[in-house]
């Protein structure tokens, strides 16, 4: 195994896995207000809404920081731009990159961003403790957003008790991707099957040392499947398989789609779906150990000090309305 592989293995075994069991897991949506004390925001009156629209148009812009694909954000917001004539800019990056940028901007007294669209871990575990995000609840005013019965769970799907994160989607995340031209059906039905010598040097793993699906895979194994010791043993054996590592979301799935590697571990779900829609011969394995239901990058937060507060409020309510949510789901 090369030096990079050894380094990654060392970090995984001594840091990430230990942290998976020693720290909180990816937060689940809050299903009800604590002790019934928190209430949804009161619906806005039509005249108030008109004033909000006017104030938002005067600001004229919303700035989104997101770990989603640029094409997903662009296509999602297009109906909003056409409806209200408000510009929507976005910055795309990995969770830790966005966190660092927001920290730097905050320290410098710069207020550029308004909205963050990312996974639950990035929003609630990483950004929230740094004081980057504010509560999203006070911004919500449309009845179709604030009414618990408007949501499939009969609760407004906040991620945490402080209403900092909002779960826009719940998707089932699987972690092993195969090229169906190179891997026969039934060859891989368990995570342990990728330890077969047949796959040595033939896998790509989305870097588990950063926030994202690679890191989430280890957390799922350690907390829900084999426990800490069992996961350590699995990762030691996986390291001997000499997988390639990448931090590029698109590459982690494209290398499998282009047959550079028959197997992908924890690729970005959004990229995989995008490639599958384009006809790529790839599919997620239905592993016996299962997967995890989470936001998979579909979480919403707002910056504590928004650059464009009125435009942000308008955008957030639109995005969580039936119209905006449909636009998001359509391209997700």
């Amino acid at each position: 195994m090369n030096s990079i592989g050894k380094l990654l293995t060392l970090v995984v075994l001594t840091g990430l896995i230990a942290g998976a069991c020693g720290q909180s897991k990816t937060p689940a949506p809050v299903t009800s207000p604590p002790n019934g004390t928190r209430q949804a925001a009161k619906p806005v009156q039509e005249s108030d809404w008109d004033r909000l629209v006017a104030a938002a148009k005067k600001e004229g812009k919303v700035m989104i920081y997101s770990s989603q694909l640029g094409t997903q954000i662009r296509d999602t917001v297009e109906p909003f731009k056409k409806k209200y004539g408000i510009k929507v800019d976005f910055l795309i990056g990995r969770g830790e990159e966005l966190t660092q940028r927001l920290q730097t901007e905050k320290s410098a007294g710069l207020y550029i961003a308004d909205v963050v669209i990312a996974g639950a871990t990035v929003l609630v575990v990483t950004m929230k403790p740094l004081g980057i995000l504010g509560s999203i609840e006070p911004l919500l005013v449309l009845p179709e957003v604030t009414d618990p019965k408007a949501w499939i769970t009969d609760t407004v799907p906040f991620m945490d008790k402080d209403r900092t994160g909002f779960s826009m989607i719940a998707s089932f995340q699987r972690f092993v991707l195969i090229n169906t031209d190179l891997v026969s059906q039934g060859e891989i039905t368990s995570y342990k099957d990728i330890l077969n010598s047949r796959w040595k040097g033939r896998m790509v793993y989305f870097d588990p040392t950063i926030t994202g699906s690679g890191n989430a895979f280890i957390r799922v194994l350690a907390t829900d499947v084999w426990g800490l010791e069992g996961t350590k043993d699995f990762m030691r054996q996986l390291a001997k398989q000499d997988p390639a590592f990448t931090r590029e979301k698109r590459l982690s799935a494209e290398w499998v789609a282009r047959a550079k590697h028959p197997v992908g571990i924890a690729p970005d779900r959004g990229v995989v779906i995008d490639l599958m829609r384009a006809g790529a011969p790839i599919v997620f394995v239905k592993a016996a150990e299962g997967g995890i239901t989470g936001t998979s990058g579909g979480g919403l937060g707002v910056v504590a000090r928004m650059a464009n507060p009125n435009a942000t409020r308008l955008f957030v309510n639109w995005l969580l309305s039936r119209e905006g949510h449909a636009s998001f789901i359509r391209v997700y």
Side-chain angles (χ1 to χ4, degrees), residues 8 201-207 241-246 255 261:
L8 288 171
R202 305 181 68 202
M203 294 183 286
V204 56
Y205 189 169
F206 186 73
D207 192 344
Q241 292 288 73
D242 199 19
F245 292 90
T246 180
W255 283 351
H261 297 282

Side-chain angles (χ1 to χ4, degrees), residues 193-216:
D193 288 340
I194 63 177
L195 302 180
N196 189 302
S197 59
R198 168 172 167 71
W199 310 118
K200 184 172 183 178
R202 305 181 68 202
M203 294 183 286
V204 56
Y205 189 169
F206 186 73
D207 192 344
T209 67
I210 61 175
T211 55
S213 53
N215 181 278

Side-chain angles (χ1 to χ4, degrees), residues 68-318:
Q68 291 276 358
L69 298 177
T71 53
Q72 289 177 306
I73 299 299
R74 182 197 64 206
D75 293 345
T76 293
V77 305
E78 195 59 34
F80 174 82
K81 292 165 59 179
K82 289 182 178 179
K83 184 172 186 176
Y84 295 108
I86 294 173
K87 184 179 181 181
V88 180
D89 289 337
F90 54 87
L91 174 71
I92 303 300
R94 296 192 299 268
E96 66 276 11
E97 292 174 336
L98 298 176
T99 301
Q100 182 59 55
R101 185 179 180 105
L102 285 165
Q103 274 189 290
T104 300
E105 290 173 356
K106 180 182 176 183
S107 298
L110 299 175
Y111 303 100
I112 300 171
D114 297 303
V115 174
V116 180
I117 298 177
T121 300
V122 173
L123 292 174
V124 179
V125 178
T126 305
M127 291 187 177
K128 177 185 174 182
L130 296 172
I132 292 172
L133 303 180
S135 174
I136 198 171
E137 185 179 35
L139 276 64
L140 307 182
V141 293
L142 287 180
E144 61 184 293
V145 176
T146 61
D147 182 5
K149 294 190 178 300
W151 300 93
I152 194 170
T153 57
D154 286 333
T155 57
V156 181
F158 295 107
M159 294 177 181
D160 61 314
K161 63 182 178 63
D162 297 314
R163 278 48 178 170
T164 303
F166 195 103
S167 297
M168 293 191 289
I169 191 171
S171 63
F172 190 75
Q173 175 69 55
R174 301 186 187 277
F175 293 102
V176 176
L177 184 72
I178 60 171
N179 183 306
T180 55
D181 290 340
L182 303 175
V183 183
S184 301
Q185 184 178 3
E187 276 193 271
I188 300 177
T189 59
S190 165
Y191 296 138
K192 291 187 176 180
D193 288 340
I194 63 177
L195 302 180
N196 189 302
S197 59
R198 168 172 167 71
W199 310 118
K200 184 172 183 178
R202 305 181 68 202
M203 294 183 286
V204 56
Y205 189 169
F206 186 73
D207 192 344
T209 67
I210 61 175
T211 55
S213 53
N215 181 278
F217 179 48
I218 297 174
R219 292 200 310 275
V220 170
L221 296 182
T223 58
D224 299 329
V225 181
W226 297 314
L228 181 57
E229 293 305 317
T231 302
K232 283 184 177 180
D233 181 64
F234 174 80
M235 295 306 298
R236 290 189 186 101
Q237 295 182 65
L238 181 60
K240 296 177 182 178
Q241 292 288 73
D242 199 19
F245 292 90
T246 180
R247 292 187 173 188
E248 297 299 325
K249 284 186 176 182
R250 194 149 199 98
L251 284 182
S252 68
E254 276 192 352
W255 283 351
V256 180
R258 297 176 183 275
K260 181 175 181 178
H261 297 282
V263 179
I265 305 172
D268 181 81
R269 179 185 178 279
V271 177
V272 171
I273 297 302
D274 193 39
L275 292 172
M276 289 176 69
R277 287 172 176 165
I282 53 178
V283 66
F284 277 113
V285 167
K286 295 181 179 179
E289 296 85 358
I292 185 173
T293 299
T295 60
S296 189
L300 176 68
V302 293
V303 178
R305 182 168 173 177
M306 295 163 280
N308 306 284
N310 293 297
T312 299
R313 191 176 201 187
L314 181 66
F315 174 75
V316 165
N317 279 274
W318 174 84

